[in-house]
Amino acid sequence: MSASADVSFVVVPDSEAGRAALASVPAPGPRVIRHASGRPWLVGHWPDQAVTVAAAGRTRVAVAGFCPVSRGKLKAAAARSADISALDGLARELRGSAHLLASAGGRVRVQGGVAGVRSVYRARVAGVTIAADRPETLAGMTGAHVDERLLALRLMRPGVPHPLRERVLWRGVDAVAPGSYLVVEPDGTARTVRWWEPPEPELPLEQGAAAVRAALTGAVRARIRATDGAISADLAGGIDSGTLAHLAATPDRPLITLRGPQLDPGGDDALWARRTAGRLPRAEHVVLAYDRSPVLYEDLDRGTGTLPSEPPHWTRSGARYEHTARQLAAKGSRLHFCGHGGDELFSPPASYLHTLLRSRPLTALRHIRGHRALTPWPLYPTWRAVTDGKDFPAWLTHNAARLTEPPPGPCHPQLGWTPELRMPAWVTADATYATCELLTDASYEPLAPDRATHRTLEGVRRAGAAIAYATRLMAAHDVRLAAPYLDDRVIEAALAVRPHERGTPHRRKPLLADAMRGLVPDDVLARATRGHYGDDAMDGFRRHRRILLGLFDGSELSRLGLVDDTAVRAALRAPNPTPTTLRTLEPTLACESWLRTLPARTREPVAVAREGTP
């Protein structure tokens, strides 16, 4: 049963076959919105005011989630949209974070957001296409099993690249790519249509900062206006959370700021958080004490913080995140702001140098010198990386052939379409071979023509998937999570700025800093230091090493033929683990803890592996 802050639904085609397919929904929910024909269209659970619907003639238009749009505007859009493709203009105007749904002329449109915070999934059920906002709903309708070839991909470091990251781990369930919408015809057939492309990154910093300022302040203030009850915001001490805390603080509304537990005795996050909190009107600053909070890796064997949709994104932080949500709920918070997405938007990946060299070579050389002054990139590898000419499919094929090689060192310049991809040493040869096959496909297309925009969008989607996961965990405690940096309009405003002005080696997040000038204190915008959670990870790992070892004494991953338990246990027993070792282990821990939460029938192995090695 869904909590009151949660939204979940299925979308049914306008046909008798669609109505019949509803019988397969495990828990259909009490809410029903109907097509003009009277047949069910949207079925599920959602709180009051979470779904806004308008009708004009036989057209229905709805938004599900947070979207400050009036019913009148939706009705006007419905009146001029006898065909669902006519809603593209509305889609490009809507603010917030919501699904856009339409029923017109017997056809259905189902659309999520650009970052994937609001996602769309599809599956064939009883001969028709059914859509939903979460994959496990469709998996339950179809009796789907886990796809172990795709699960093998999830073991890769530092992460699964586009387009494979969008593939669903449940067999027969597919995701609709962010920036596309699903069209379901009356006969139950379906196709996807691309409606969004990133803007050309051509605006200068000053002009782009004004657009970011308008989009971000609007995103925060609209949510506050729409919320009854207390409001809270993360306040870790950095520019991303500090900016949102200042935007959320108003003289007429109390604000709760939250700083999570953290070791890092040499860091200054606590100092900056206290300094920022002291300047906010009507703010109560809450600090979760380390010795009264779950440590990292706690309750990983119990599946805490794990959902059936996919392995958790913040594996080692599940118990801590649940604890944070409970504390916010106890304080009465109904809306919580987090700064996720700020790094991805306002700190361009170093691959922008690859693009910059071809358009502004002198500027590129100055930026390369700046990056080499901060990180000692060797000269020849830097030149080789910046002049590399591989297209996107060739880059993935290049990485597929090197999955079992040692990972590059910290001083290796990462200027490719993705970071260099590697498989941990404990992954089996069959699993590595399956991953190699999946990576090698000449038809794969990047998210944008240049590496910088592609890498930024990939990071935004990764952050969006993590926030979608966290949103559901927070909703279980009746708290609505908001990540304004991942709103469509904020993303567009940031991506429209030239990458070499959005971020430089000489200033930290100049676009965000200039956009917030006058709204956020200058010293917060100029902070150059950054805290870390390495000490937290080491402490939690040492405390829970025995439990983690127990996960790989007959693991589910081993039963599926994906890992060698003996090799995983050897890595876990290493006397002096490094942060790199722990990061490499994290996807494996996530997949194992997730598998253990699933019904046994769904994780029965299916013969898919082949003989051989890459």
Side-chain angles (χ1 to χ4, degrees):
M1 187 169 72
S2 296
S4 62
D6 205 5
V7 176
S8 65
F9 58 84
V10 296
V11 185
V12 185
D14 191 4
S15 65
E16 288 304 314
R19 190 203 298 265
L22 270 180
S24 302
V25 180
R31 305 267 194 175
V32 179
I33 298 173
R34 298 184 181 277
H35 295 283
S37 65
R39 300 185 185 100
W41 171 34
L42 308 177
V43 180
H45 302 258
W46 55 81
D48 293 337
Q49 287 82 50
V51 177
T52 303
V53 188
R58 299 189 63 78
T59 299
R60 305 286 184 271
V61 178
V63 290
F66 172 73
C67 181
V69 63
S70 68
R71 186 171 276 103
K73 184 169 183 175
L74 288 183
K75 185 172 183 177
R80 43 175 203 271
S81 303
D83 184 81
I84 54 176
S85 63
L87 290 168
D88 287 3
L90 177 67
R92 295 188 182 98
E93 295 175 4
L94 294 178
R95 294 181 293 131
S97 176
H99 289 89
L100 174 62
L101 310 155
S103 169
R107 303 167 76 207
V108 170
R109 173 172 177 154
V110 192
Q111 175 184 312
V114 169
V117 176
R118 305 287 176 175
S119 294
V120 176
Y121 303 91
R122 57 186 285 193
R124 296 286 290 179
V125 180
V128 297
T129 299
I130 300 292
D133 68 328
R134 49 189 66 177
E136 70 269 25
T137 301
L138 299 173
M141 295 175 73
T142 61
H145 287 234
V146 173
D147 188 328
E148 56 265 42
R149 283 168 58 87
L150 296 179
L151 191 61
L153 270 173
R154 297 295 183 102
L155 304 176
M156 188 163 49
R157 282 289 300 161
V160 183
H162 165 82
L164 297 168
R165 180 62 185 80
E166 285 82 34
R167 295 195 183 177
V168 180
L169 293 177
W170 296 100
R171 293 178 179 274
V173 180
D174 296 310
V176 176
S180 296
Y181 63 81
L182 180 69
V183 178
V184 184
E185 302 290 349
D187 64 0
T189 59
R191 58 190 173 89
T192 58
V193 178
R194 188 79 182 161
W195 70 272
W196 186 88
E197 296 292 342
E200 288 296 324
E202 53 192 16
L203 291 184
L205 180 62
E206 182 178 358
Q207 188 175 348
V212 169
R213 183 187 185 99
L216 189 57
T217 55
V220 173
R221 290 169 183 170
R223 284 174 166 90
I224 293 173
R225 286 193 298 268
T227 301
D228 295 324
I231 294 167
S232 57
D234 284 342
L235 187 54
I239 181 174
D240 299 331
S241 63
T243 290
L244 295 183
H246 276 279
L247 294 180
T250 60
D252 57 335
R253 289 288 294 269
L255 176 70
I256 303 162
T257 62
L258 180 85
R259 180 171 179 268
Q262 184 185 22
L263 291 177
D264 188 18
D268 57 355
D269 275 356
L271 171 66
W272 280 98
R274 286 195 303 270
R275 181 182 298 173
T276 300
R279 296 164 169 168
L280 301 174
R282 301 191 64 186
E284 176 190 0
H285 188 44
V286 175
V287 179
L288 301 183
Y290 188 86
D291 59 358
R292 293 196 295 275
S293 302
V295 297
L296 298 185
Y297 298 102
E298 190 164 320
D299 288 345
L300 196 60
D301 58 323
R302 299 178 183 176
T304 302
T306 300
L307 299 172
S309 56
E310 62 176 339
H313 291 260
W314 300 320
T315 315
R316 56 193 180 187
S317 306
R320 182 175 285 187
Y321 195 83
E322 292 274 12
H323 174 71
T324 299
R326 288 193 296 271
Q327 298 305 306
L328 288 170
K331 284 287 182 180
S333 175
R334 290 296 171 262
L335 171 68
H336 183 71
F337 288 102
C338 69
H340 295 282
D343 284 341
E344 289 77 6
L345 275 187
F346 300 110
S347 296
S351 55
Y352 84 89
L353 298 170
H354 185 276
T355 305
L356 190 61
L357 185 67
R358 286 147 182 80
S359 58
R360 298 170 180 257
L362 293 180
T363 303
L365 291 175
R366 287 195 296 271
H367 279 237
I368 290 169
R369 281 198 297 269
H371 280 280
R372 293 189 68 232
L374 295 172
T375 306
W377 293 346
L379 182 58
Y380 177 65
T382 301
W383 183 250
R384 188 171 58 185
V386 84
T387 57
D388 175 73
K390 297 181 189 69
D391 63 13
F392 183 61
W395 175 263
L396 293 182
T397 299
H398 166 83
N399 275 269
R402 290 162 176 77
L403 287 176
T404 58
E405 291 184 2
C411 296
H412 179 79
Q414 297 270 11
L415 308 184
W417 289 97
T418 69
E420 303 241 2
L421 306 174
R422 295 294 186 269
M423 273 298 199
W426 50 82
V427 174
T428 64
D430 280 344
T432 301
Y433 185 83
T435 298
C436 180
E437 280 194 317
L438 288 167
L439 285 170
T440 308
D441 189 330
S443 69
Y444 291 155
E445 295 183 356
L447 294 169
D450 65 281
R451 295 186 182 192
T453 305
H454 169 84
R455 287 279 295 271
T456 298
L457 281 172
E458 189 170 45
V460 163
R461 288 188 178 188
R462 202 177 300 276
I467 289 301
Y469 209 94
T471 296
R472 291 179 57 187
L473 295 176
M474 195 75 78
H477 300 275
D478 202 15
V479 180
R480 183 159 52 91
L481 184 64
Y485 293 120
L486 296 174
D487 284 7
D488 292 359
R489 307 289 83 83
V490 177
I491 293 169
E492 288 172 345
L495 290 181
V497 178
R498 300 164 184 160
H500 66 281
E501 296 188 38
R502 195 165 77 238
T504 81
H506 314 295
R507 287 180 64 195
R508 188 143 186 262
K509 301 184 179 177
L511 175 56
L512 181 59
D514 285 9
M516 293 295 106
R517 194 77 61 201
L519 298 176
V520 179
D522 287 348
D523 58 345
V524 174
L525 298 175
R527 183 189 173 190
T529 58
R530 183 168 189 161
H532 69 86
Y533 288 85
D535 292 331
D536 300 53
M538 290 298 179
D539 179 52
F541 180 76
R542 292 189 181 102
R543 292 195 199 190
H544 294 286
R545 191 196 307 246
R546 185 181 299 276
I547 291 173
L548 300 182
L549 283 165
L551 293 176
F552 295 92
D553 184 5
S555 72
E556 292 297 316
L557 287 170
S558 175
R559 195 172 65 85
L560 291 172
L562 302 181
V563 305
D564 177 350
D565 274 355
T566 301
V568 180
R569 288 169 65 86
L572 289 166
R573 284 196 182 103
N576 296 300
T578 66
T580 299
T581 302
L582 297 187
R583 285 193 294 270
T584 303
L585 278 163
E586 190 149 340
T588 302
L589 294 172
C591 291
E592 179 61 26
S593 65
W594 177 67
L595 284 171
R596 287 169 177 254
T597 66
L598 303 180
R601 66 161 186 81
T602 65
R603 39 190 165 94
E604 287 302 313
V606 179
V608 294
R610 294 188 183 181
E611 294 297 324
T613 57

